[in-house]
Amino acid sequence: MRLEMGTFPVHDVTFGASTRYDAGRLTIDRDAVLAAVRQDPRIATAELEIAHPGESVRIWPVRDVIEPRVKVEGRGVCYPGICDREITTVGTGRTHRLAGLGVVEVSSVNWHDAGGDFVETYLDMSGPYGEMYPYARLFNVCLVVEPDAGLGEEVKNYAVHKAALTVADRLAEAVRGLTPPETEVFELGPVDPSLPKVVYIWCVHSPQAMSGSPTAFCTATYGLTQLTPPWYLHPNEILDGALTGPYRTAYAMSWTVANNPLFLDLYRRHGRDWNFLGVISLRTEWTTQTEKQLMANQTAKLAKQLGADGAVVTWDAGGNEFIEVVRSIQACERLGIKTVFLTSEDDATEGAPTMLEPLPEADAIVSTSFFKNVTLAVPEAPAVARVIGVPTKKILRGSAIGLHAGADASLPTAGPLPPPWRYDDHYGFGSLSCTE
Amino acid sequence: MPERLRVVCYVNQFFGQIGGEEKAGVEPLSRDGAVGAARAVQQALGDAGTVVATVICGDNYAAEQSDRALAAMVALVAAAKPDLVVAGPAFLAGRYGVACGALCAAVQAQLTVPAVTGMHAENPGVDLYRRSVYIVQTGAEATRMLPEAQRLVALGLKLARGEKIGAPAAEGYFARGVTRNVVTETTAAERATAMLLDKLAGRPFASEVPRPSFASVPAPRLVKTLEGATIALVTDGGLVPKGNPDGIEALNATRYGAYSIEGKDALDAAQYENPHRGYDTTWVKQDPHRLVPVDVARELEQRGAIGKLHETVYSTVGVATTLAQSARMGAEIAEKLRAAGVDAVILTST
């Protein structure tokens, strides 16, 4: 598989008479884009707004941030499978992307009816809270969208995500016929056979157990979110969005999946530091210990059959999913595959261990620090001048600790606001760690 | 701070050259200068400090009269006006290690004098005191007294001089579990790549999360037959009476509730609710027995399969709950169950 990735950096975004890209300046025909979104009869309301880096603006509720990508040559479409897009295997030919730009899916639609997971993420384009995330450095084209209130929760999820993808498609279409200012070729070409072989074990949550639905909306593999045994994905499939869509934290979004710095670093070192074998994607939140152990065993077996000498492991969730993740590490190490685990840490109050199951095989851990904003001591986000989205935010506190103590409340989105209770930099974008 | 530090050492009767096990009952005493093993500390100190006194106490006295021993030793230490206390090293000697930890913790707290000790990883003093005291990791036996005393002294001098203390792995002490956020020079992704390169090449690497040890909790044996036992139902799945009278939190819980089931053959779903935010509570709200099986437990009680069903159900919310809170709530609930004569518990989790 050979993929040329053409990058079009975006330095300014404005609304105008037509959607076009010219030397870093993206102009958007707002009416035409919204008309495309409104063609879906499930959409009740849709508006488009722009948030600039450094601006005093807050976006709420944020379900996803998507980087516009378009397949220019070769088979299939970018972000395949999700929202009934075609499922042709991607990863070959040429893809164009708009860099430094996010399409933000802003909607009050919650993930699913089951409770437990709530859309909590809001984004600031400036200030200390905003600067904790990579999105404050993007030009964000925000689609504020609500579906027909009569639809079921799951249908609403796919309706608003399809609407956001429609916006991303329209914007990416503007660079389809242009010559990219930057091009990078991605290919797993032959390498020095003495180099160690390395695989990336990329664990993604499945909402199936929590929601009871095998098709509940979440980060999807060619559109699938159900509990499935581990997949092998060529890294070019990742670059074309075979794995895409959000989960509940600000770092588990389409944009962060597509721009995962650890994945890109592993790939770019192919042929220099190692032989990069690709990605094993493991679904998590299996419900029984037997299933968890089976998935761990099979993940390690797949890595071994691929010939892996080493593996990097990441995950995007907290809690019981940890078991299949850390058991996969254990199973790899027992097969002689050297692992590094990139993870956040749980609460260390009174010297408590921060790993749910601290297996001795997990002996090489990179910490992105605590996953709870209360333990990170993240202060309230200060008030902002403008809100994109919903003017009030329900704060589900439900805890006795810090900014999450006290009764649930409905506060003006313009703030000040407590941060969402999770932070959790799943892919190592930031420089935080945790030490004694 | 004087240039030449005043150091007080603490050693047991053996390392203080008073005698072996037959002298383990010796009460605390103080000798001028460096005595016995404290001479290795003096050698390690060189010109940096002087061992002005050596406090000696028998291991049995320290263990059996711990409060009196500790008070007496703190007084002896205080009289010597030290800038630093070096206790041990105790290696794998259990009574000695516990006394070293206790003395260091006490002089830090009561005299605000820095203190350091050393012992083997399996010394019980490590688990008891590593959170409050800098404990340098040593071997099991005193075969390498001088190099190990040198490591204690190196860390002790930094503490006495108020210098920055490095990470546990770098300084050689047991992680105290005092974690804090730091901003590093590289992103976590870059650190992961670098760590993998080191690990693949067989170069040394340092995990950023120390390997923690959970104390193992052996399951007690039921000493009665089930037919004669009182069984209690306990859950961390969040079932509470309507209105959540104890205000149990939806996450990060710090509270639990005790709810009577006296006179109830079953739980009426309309009288219960569930604040838990870590799983889909739909099915439990629909039928609370899916979490707290009062119905079948009553049947077992009536059939005589179990002696008695305890009339109080304990419930809390187990999601993102800290280990410290979990341990406290668990201990309190266990204490109440024991006081009520409960023999065994069915603990349902989610």
Side-chain angles (χ1 to χ4, degrees):
Chain A
M1 271 191 193
R2 184 177 190 276
L3 181 70
E4 275 181 51
M5 181 64 79
T7 294
F8 295 78
V10 174
H11 304 301
D12 191 23
V13 180
T14 51
F15 291 121
S18 65
T19 300
R20 61 196 171 84
Y21 175 92
D22 182 22
R25 187 181 169 86
L26 182 71
T27 311
I28 302 171
D29 179 346
R30 174 164 24 187
D31 292 341
V33 170
L34 286 173
V37 167
R38 290 172 183 145
Q39 273 185 3
D40 186 337
R42 301 174 300 179
I43 298 301
T45 62
E47 295 301 331
L48 212 54
E49 294 192 56
I50 298 167
H52 299 85
E55 202 184 343
S56 177
V57 62
R58 175 164 298 150
I59 313 166
W60 159 255
V62 174
R63 288 168 44 90
D64 199 13
V65 181
I66 304 167
E67 182 175 280
R69 294 189 177 194
V70 62
K71 180 58 71 187
V72 176
E73 286 171 26
R75 287 167 295 151
V77 297
C78 290
Y79 305 121
I82 196 164
C83 301
D84 299 323
R85 293 156 79 92
E86 65 169 287
I87 54 154
T88 305
T89 304
V90 290
T92 58
R94 187 142 58 96
T95 294
H96 286 176
R97 63 186 277 262
L98 287 168
L101 181 103
V103 171
V104 186
E105 184 180 319
V106 185
S107 175
S108 60
V109 174
N110 195 31
W111 304 125
H112 46 73
D113 286 327
D117 287 345
F118 297 92
V119 174
E120 279 196 301
T121 300
Y122 64 88
L123 297 177
D124 283 7
M125 298 303 288
S126 61
Y129 172 72
E131 285 161 11
M132 291 177 72
Y133 299 96
Y135 311 110
R137 296 189 292 274
L138 305 179
F139 288 89
N140 285 313
V141 179
C142 305
L143 176 70
V144 183
V145 58
E146 296 298 341
D148 183 336
L151 300 170
E153 236 19 66
E154 193 168 301
V155 177
K156 285 181 183 174
N157 268 273
Y158 286 105
V160 295
H161 192 65
K162 185 185 176 190
L165 283 169
T166 299
V167 175
D169 286 347
R170 287 279 164 154
L171 302 187
E173 205 56 45
V175 296
R176 175 188 285 278
L178 304 182
T179 304
E182 305 160 24
T183 301
E184 188 173 3
V185 175
F186 289 96
E187 191 172 22
L188 290 180
V191 300
D192 177 350
S194 69
L195 286 173
K197 300 187 188 72
V198 167
V199 70
Y200 179 13
I201 298 176
W202 189 329
C203 304
V204 285
H205 173 83
S206 170
Q208 183 176 354
M210 176 78 113
S211 69
S213 166
T215 52
F217 182 72
C218 189
T219 309
T221 315
Y222 283 96
L224 297 187
T225 63
Q226 66 203 78
L227 286 163
T228 46
W231 292 58
Y232 171 77
L233 291 170
H234 189 285
N236 287 358
E237 292 180 272
I238 300 282
L239 293 169
D240 272 344
L243 191 62
T244 190
Y247 181 45
R248 63 191 171 191
T249 63
Y251 276 105
M253 294 206 183
S254 298
W255 191 92
T256 40
V257 169
N259 287 282
N260 178 338
L262 180 55
F263 162 75
L264 290 169
D265 196 20
L266 289 174
Y267 203 169
R268 287 177 176 141
R269 287 170 186 270
H270 175 71
R272 175 159 46 112
D273 292 312
W274 46 54
N275 180 352
F276 184 44
L277 301 172
V279 172
I280 296 173
S281 174
L282 170 65
R283 284 282 162 188
T284 60
E285 203 168 59
W286 293 81
T287 55
T288 69
Q289 189 71 24
T290 304
E291 289 171 342
K292 288 169 182 291
Q293 190 62 53
L294 175 62
M295 291 307 134
N297 296 349
Q298 290 298 313
T299 299
K301 183 202 74 180
L302 188 50
K304 188 71 180 173
Q305 290 304 117
L306 288 169
D309 302 303
V312 168
V313 182
T314 65
W315 65 315
D316 64 356
N320 89 48
E321 299 94 325
F322 189 82
I323 302 301
E324 50 265 46
V325 175
V326 77
R327 295 281 174 110
S328 293
I329 291 168
Q330 181 181 55
C332 281
E333 291 279 349
R334 286 179 176 177
L335 293 178
I337 301 166
K338 296 188 165 102
T339 58
V340 169
F341 183 25
L342 186 144
T343 182
S344 57
E345 296 188 56
D346 208 338
D347 203 310
T349 306
E350 293 186 23
T354 57
M355 298 286 122
L356 186 62
E357 188 184 30
L359 297 178
E361 288 85 356
D363 64 355
I365 302 177
V366 170
S367 167
T368 58
S369 197
F370 301 114
F371 73 78
K372 294 179 192 170
N373 268 319
V374 66
T375 335
L376 281 168
V378 176
E380 275 191 327
V384 292
R386 181 164 76 102
V387 168
I388 295 176
V390 179
T392 56
K393 184 178 191 302
K394 193 173 181 195
I395 306 293
L396 290 161
R397 286 191 168 99
S399 157
I401 301 164
L403 294 170
H404 298 113
D408 294 353
S410 188
L411 300 178
T413 305
L417 276 187
W421 82 278
R422 283 190 191 85
Y423 176 69
D424 216 345
D425 176 6
H426 309 299
Y427 305 121
F429 282 88
S431 299
L432 273 177
S433 184
C434 193
T435 190
E436 176 158 342
Chain B
M1 189 69 66
E3 278 190 12
R4 210 176 157 91
L5 295 171
R6 293 173 62 85
V7 178
V8 169
C9 288
Y10 160 63
V11 293
N12 70 358
Q13 84 283 353
F14 176 75
F15 287 103
Q17 294 180 333
I18 289 178
E21 199 58 31
E22 77 286 356
K23 296 284 187 189
V26 165
E27 293 185 25
L29 58 98
S30 180
R31 297 264 163 85
D32 287 343
V35 175
R39 287 206 297 270
V41 172
Q42 180 61 70
Q43 203 178 332
L45 279 166
D47 293 336
T50 305
V51 177
V52 293
T54 304
V55 172
I56 305 169
C57 181
D59 279 340
N60 283 347
Y61 188 82
E64 290 160 12
Q65 304 286 334
S66 56
D67 290 348
R68 287 170 64 184
L70 190 60
M73 287 196 285
V74 170
L76 292 172
V77 169
K81 296 186 171 36
D83 303 307
L84 170 69
V85 171
V86 177
F91 307 104
L92 196 49
R95 290 166 299 175
Y96 187 20
V98 171
C100 283
L103 182 64
C104 288
V107 298
Q108 286 172 178
Q110 296 170 32
L111 310 178
T112 61
V113 170
V116 65
T117 182
M119 52 192 94
H120 183 265
E122 287 167 23
N123 192 309
V126 174
D127 263 357
L128 283 172
Y129 291 104
R130 70 175 172 87
R131 285 178 188 83
S132 52
V133 173
Y134 284 99
I135 305 175
V136 171
Q137 184 160 9
T138 71
E141 291 174 36
T143 46
R144 298 171 65 251
M145 180 60 95
L146 183 59
E148 297 198 314
Q150 282 168 338
R151 290 170 49 232
L152 261 72
V153 165
L155 182 58
L157 288 175
K158 282 192 170 185
L159 288 168
R161 289 167 179 160
E163 292 172 9
K164 189 178 178 321
I165 306 299
E171 303 275 5
Y173 62 89
F174 291 101
R176 299 182 308 154
V178 185
T179 41
R180 61 192 163 82
N181 298 306
V182 290
V183 178
T184 63
E185 287 173 4
T186 50
T187 67
E190 290 164 343
R191 302 200 305 275
T193 304
M195 195 180 287
L196 184 62
L197 285 168
D198 285 340
K199 195 171 177 182
L200 285 170
R203 294 188 292 264
F205 60 90
S207 180
E208 295 177 9
V209 180
R211 191 182 307 165
S213 58
F214 286 123
S216 72
V217 181
R221 292 181 66 85
L222 184 61
V223 294
K224 296 180 178 175
T225 59
L226 270 180
E227 291 85 348
T230 301
I231 310 290
L233 301 177
V234 179
T235 186
D236 73 346
L239 191 74
V240 295
K242 266 276 187 268
N244 190 5
D246 295 293
I248 298 176
E249 303 91 332
L251 68 162
N252 272 330
T254 61
R255 305 184 195 118
Y256 60 91
Y259 305 115
S260 173
I261 52 167
E262 210 164 343
K264 291 182 183 178
D265 284 335
L267 302 178
D268 175 7
Q271 293 179 18
Y272 291 89
E273 64 178 53
N274 198 323
H276 200 295
R277 209 185 287 169
Y279 73 105
D280 182 359
T281 54
T282 307
W283 314 109
V284 168
K285 286 176 188 159
Q286 199 177 74
D287 182 353
H289 300 112
R290 290 175 173 143
L291 183 67
V292 182
V294 170
D295 52 352
V296 289
R298 282 287 187 223
E299 283 172 31
L300 291 170
E301 184 183 38
Q302 278 148 20
R303 258 199 284 138
I306 61 171
K308 187 170 169 16
L309 180 62
H310 187 50
E311 299 295 353
T312 303
V313 169
Y314 289 89
S315 179
T316 187
V317 163
V319 53
T321 311
T322 66
L323 189 65
Q325 293 289 358
S326 300
R328 177 188 59 77
M329 290 192 281
E332 287 177 19
I333 292 169
E335 199 49 55
K336 288 174 183 171
L337 291 171
R338 184 157 61 186
V342 171
D343 299 301
V345 167
I346 295 172
L347 178 62
T348 47
S349 195
T350 52

